[in-house]
Amino acid sequence: MEIIKVNSYEEMSQKASEILQKQLLEKQNSVLGLATGSTPIGLYEHLIELNKEGKISFKDVVTFNLDEYVGLERTHNQSYYYFMQEQLFKHVDIKEENIHIPSGVAEDLEAECKRYEEQLKALGPVDLQVLGVGVNGHIGFNEPGTDFSSRTHIVELDQSTREANARFFNNIDEVPTHAITMGIQSIMDSKKILLLAFGESKKDAIERLLSGEVTEDLPVSVLNKHSNVTVIYG
Ligand code: F6R
């Protein structure tokens, strides 16, 4: 595991963008695994800039997002589809057909999980997976206690996760109770993983990860079993 300690959110974002840039220069048709949330926004800003300057291109890039809320249409301003459009996709030269995000409004959600996992298998493996981490150590929406062998599935969100994400909604009652997420094994299948974490609230999860602990009570700790992980934290 490569561990990079930074002093600011900007430094984390800059360093992360250098890793993504290197990945895209080495393999133009990379399959990227992407996360939403506050953590990768700075990284995405850098990628947009690099794309505008002609230093990287997304024209052959394929993306898979980690998760989506159940019940939110793509057009809902808190859906992860909407987030990705606003924070990255609409600003770069990616092809719409190369973007993959699970649908949280599929009629048959179990079938949607299966379909997503099959797409991942067909187009994957993911070359580089970007991850954030929840205060409770979740990755994707795999909450504490999730089986390490899990694949794309429906989860009931922890109350702490709904509270953490309520800041984006008018009130906590509007935060969906369920989500569809890539499983822990689906994430572990990626060739490389880049974990980003910044701020006091993430310290505990990161310290436990770096202690080498491996437990299903702390989903992010599974990364101790992966052979190519970079952690940038501050
Ligand atoms: C988002 C995701 C989540 C977030 C985590 C941290 O796609 O998979 O695991 O990475 O909840 O969220 P932020 O970055 O908002 O602190």
Side-chain angles (χ1 to χ4, degrees):
M1 184 177 285
E2 187 182 352
I3 299 158
I4 303 172
K5 174 100 172 70
V6 293
N7 294 313
S8 67
Y9 177 82
E10 171 50 24
E11 193 186 349
M12 175 186 77
S13 307
Q14 169 68 34
K15 288 212 174 343
S17 74
E18 286 164 15
I19 291 172
L20 267 287
Q21 179 177 19
K22 184 163 172 273
Q23 174 66 39
L24 295 188
L25 291 179
E26 277 170 15
K27 187 176 175 200
Q28 212 177 325
N29 60 347
S30 287
V31 180
L32 299 180
L34 299 177
T36 56
S38 310
T39 307
I41 291 178
L43 159 65
Y44 295 156
E45 282 170 3
H46 280 283
L47 294 183
I48 292 167
E49 207 46 49
L50 288 167
N51 186 241
K52 287 217 167 85
E53 291 166 0
K55 293 181 177 157
I56 55 170
S57 169
F58 287 82
K59 127 176 125 43
D60 299 318
V61 168
V62 171
T63 63
F64 281 91
N65 265 79
L66 285 166
D67 41 21
E68 179 59 285
Y69 286 119
V70 166
L72 299 193
E73 297 282 347
R74 283 174 156 203
T75 48
H76 190 288
N77 66 7
Q78 290 309 328
S79 78
Y80 285 168
Y81 181 89
Y82 189 92
F83 175 100
M84 288 308 300
Q85 290 297 330
E86 292 301 310
Q87 302 299 336
L88 180 64
F89 294 150
K90 78 175 190 190
H91 307 287
V92 297
D93 59 344
I94 192 162
K95 294 185 187 128
E96 174 66 31
E97 66 264 30
N98 287 342
I99 295 171
H100 303 89
I101 303 182
S103 168
V105 293
E107 237 171 72
D108 183 340
L109 288 168
E110 291 299 336
E112 174 62 7
C113 293
K114 209 161 163 258
R115 185 192 69 81
Y116 201 65
E117 197 64 42
E118 275 161 14
Q119 266 188 333
L120 263 169
K121 277 215 180 84
L123 300 171
V126 167
D127 291 297
L128 177 60
Q129 172 70 56
V130 176
L131 289 181
V133 59
V135 173
N136 63 2
H138 72 214
I139 49 174
F141 271 136
N142 295 288
E143 301 287 24
T146 306
D147 209 304
F148 280 171
S149 64
S150 57
R151 299 222 163 251
T152 304
H153 63 292
I154 307 295
V155 291
E156 181 170 0
L157 299 175
D158 271 8
Q159 186 60 11
S160 67
T161 299
R162 295 184 68 233
E163 280 164 14
N165 289 3
R167 66 191 193 276
F168 301 115
F169 294 81
N170 292 322
N171 59 64
I172 188 152
D173 296 333
E174 286 184 14
V175 184
T177 54
H178 290 76
I180 182 166
T181 182
M182 268 164 67
I184 294 190
Q185 188 56 52
S186 338
I187 293 170
M188 289 292 278
D189 285 347
S190 312
K191 292 189 196 163
K192 288 180 243 170
I193 295 180
L194 172 60
L195 174 70
L196 306 178
F198 195 79
E200 208 49 48
S201 65
K202 307 290 173 73
K203 271 221 166 102
D204 183 50
I206 294 297
E207 269 168 20
R208 285 178 66 192
L209 164 71
L210 299 186
S211 77
E213 179 180 355
V214 177
T215 166
E216 286 181 353
D217 291 341
L218 187 78
V220 71
S221 70
V222 77
L223 301 185
N224 280 316
K225 298 191 340 161
H226 194 285
S227 60
N228 196 329
V229 178
T230 302
V231 181
I232 309 182
Y233 79 104

